[in-house]
Amino acid sequence: MTGNLYRGQAGLPFSSTLRVYEPLEAFPEGQREAIRAAGARAASRAAVENAELLASLGRITRAGGDPFPTGRTDLVRVTSAPGVARHAAPQAGAPGAGTSDAGAAAGPDGESLTGGAERILLYCPSQLVLRAGLAANALMEGIHGPLAEMLIPEEQRDKHQERIDQVKARDGSIRVHTRASTWGIPFSWFSLFAEGDHKDVVESGGRILTVRVWAPITEAMERARYAVANLALAAPDLDMLDDLAQLTEWLEMFHVNSMVELDYGAVADKVYPDESPMDIRLGIECLAEGDMTGAAAAYRRLASRWIPIRQLARAS
């Protein structure tokens, strides 16, 4: 695979992801060697994205009507963080705190961008069997449930539930490391990041393929809790408050030395440079101060950027 699928993705929905990368010690002992080996096999982030996309296209076109992943192999993404993060919460200059401090940034394949500090590897398994099951359940419970029942036969759903049961029996307690969104990024995700966090802009042929933003999980949770506290007082009926509360609970499941990554995916070519994290921060600050005009202005900037993207989901 040369990267054509990864670069093109023609005709596919814009898909963005929020991922948590954990140190190897955070995984059950029985999983560590398989995760380490899978991470070592990943030649590059582009190769991982290519392999995942190619596998998904293969599943929807294979004979037998089973669109679910089998779980025979699981892709693992790898990044790195300064070794000091093993002993202390990230300080100024840690990944996500800025873009120029020595030892602060890690590339998408785990290489050091600034050098200097000893680094530890962090891993994010794809967990496609579990995520496919969750996605199918959400589809069945949604307004398109009757259509989903026609597209995914009950026999195949039952077969996939057996795979999920096997994974849970083998691995025990499960933390799903990846959240995905199509046709736009939930505004709550932007609350985890700040303007100064490390960004990696991936370009090819004059197009932006994706933008990835990283933050230490301790900083991401601090930002989310700040947003929850202020929205609970200033705008308790806002849908984003529930989203943020669920997001905070999810992040609390992971190792304290983890990293959070927002991967824009192909939508980055439509919106980057993107000031959404700043607009979310300013909007929440304005609400906390009772400045409804400022909050409305921040929302208008967000809406003008993202509503056209979400409308593409209904375009013919």
Side-chain angles (χ1 to χ4, degrees), residues 32-109:
R32 293 175 189 173
E33 179 54 32
I35 289 173
R36 186 205 61 76
R41 288 195 299 269
S44 67
R45 275 297 294 269
V48 173
E49 309 300 343
N50 255 339
E52 194 166 88
L53 178 59
L54 185 62
S56 68
L57 295 175
R59 286 194 298 273
I60 63 176
T61 56
R62 70 188 176 197
D66 183 0
F68 293 103
T70 62
R72 294 191 186 96
T73 59
D74 198 20
L75 297 169
V76 175
R77 292 169 175 82
V78 185
T79 189
S80 66
V84 68
R86 299 175 67 94
H87 308 294
Q91 304 296 321
T99 58
S100 60
D101 294 324
D109 301 314

Side-chain angles (χ1 to χ4, degrees), residues 234-253:
D237 297 328
L238 203 63
D239 290 341
M240 184 177 164
L241 178 58
D242 290 336
D243 294 343
L244 275 167
Q246 294 176 19
L247 204 55
T248 304
E249 291 176 0
W250 176 62
L251 293 175
E252 288 172 345
M253 298 171 63

Side-chain angles (χ1 to χ4, degrees), residues 17-23 26-28 31 35 123-127 130-131 173-180 250-251 253-255 258-261:
T17 49
L18 189 66
R19 301 186 181 99
V20 175
Y21 291 74
E22 292 191 286
F27 296 91
Q31 296 180 34
I35 289 173
Y123 301 84
C124 178
S126 290
Q127 300 171 294
L130 292 172
R131 290 169 51 210
S173 177
I174 301 296
R175 302 183 308 280
V176 178
H177 289 68
T178 302
R179 294 192 166 200
W250 176 62
L251 293 175
M253 298 171 63
F254 297 97
H255 194 283
S258 301
M259 293 275 286
V260 185
E261 174 193 82

Side-chain angles (χ1 to χ4, degrees), residues 2 18 24 38 47 52 70 73 89 95 174 183 195 207 225 227 266:
T2 61
L18 189 66
L24 200 59
E52 194 166 88
T70 62
T73 59
I174 301 296
W183 300 115
E195 304 92 285
R207 292 179 52 216
R225 288 168 180 156

